[in-house]
Amino acid sequence: MLNKVQIKVRGYHLDIFQHVNNARYLEFLEEGRWAFFDDFGGVELMEEGIAWAVVNININFRAEAGFGDTLEVQTRYIKLGNRSITMKQTIINTQTQDLVAEADVTYVCFSKTLKAAVALPDDLRQKIEQAIADSE
């Protein structure tokens, strides 16, 4: 499954060089992940005391984006561990089709009660495995 969400670059996203500040890309990527979870599921786990904790983010910046650009954040699963998932995210400038940034984000399935990483529920694991297979 590939999820896409668009974000318009606003003035408050810019730094003194008049392009998107690197810290804003973390927010854009997070918006993409929340949109992904809205469509894919997994948010309901929070009601059961399970959360997704980000444990690693690697971002490569490829091109600048500026005021008025529309950026498309694309998100998909790429790797599944016993207690973790890794997502690949790309940010594309929709006007130029330039790759603006790409990131790998790793989460662990975290029990709020136990305050520890736990194995993914079997039904969710199967759903993620299928999503990874479908996107290859």
Side-chain angles (χ1 to χ4, degrees), residues 70-74 90-101:
T70 300
L71 305 178
E72 181 175 272
V73 181
Q74 302 174 353
T90 55
I91 300 177
I92 307 292
N93 183 317
T94 63
Q95 290 95 333
T96 65
Q97 296 305 304
D98 287 341
L99 173 62
V100 175

Side-chain angles (χ1 to χ4, degrees), residues 55-83:
V55 294
N56 186 278
I57 298 178
N58 291 309
I59 303 174
N60 293 306
F61 301 101
R62 303 293 186 191
E64 68 181 51
F67 181 75
D69 288 344
T70 300
L71 305 178
E72 181 175 272
V73 181
Q74 302 174 353
T75 305
R76 63 186 173 93
Y77 288 126
I78 59 167
K79 185 178 175 186
L80 176 62
N82 184 41
R83 298 178 294 186

Side-chain angles (χ1 to χ4, degrees), residues 5-65:
V5 64
Q6 292 192 350
I7 298 171
K8 185 153 180 114
V9 176
R10 306 292 183 187
Y12 65 91
H13 295 138
L14 306 179
D15 60 19
I16 62 171
F17 301 109
Q18 298 303 297
H19 56 70
V20 175
N21 181 279
N22 66 73
R24 291 294 182 168
Y25 287 105
L26 287 169
E27 295 171 354
F28 296 167
L29 293 167
E30 186 167 16
E31 179 64 29
R33 292 190 305 275
W34 277 101
F36 180 94
F37 289 132
D38 283 346
D39 291 345
F40 184 81
V43 176
E44 65 277 355
L45 287 175
M46 288 193 284
E47 295 170 3
E48 299 172 24
I50 301 292
W52 293 111
V54 173
V55 294
N56 186 278
I57 298 178
N58 291 309
I59 303 174
N60 293 306
F61 301 101
R62 303 293 186 191
E64 68 181 51

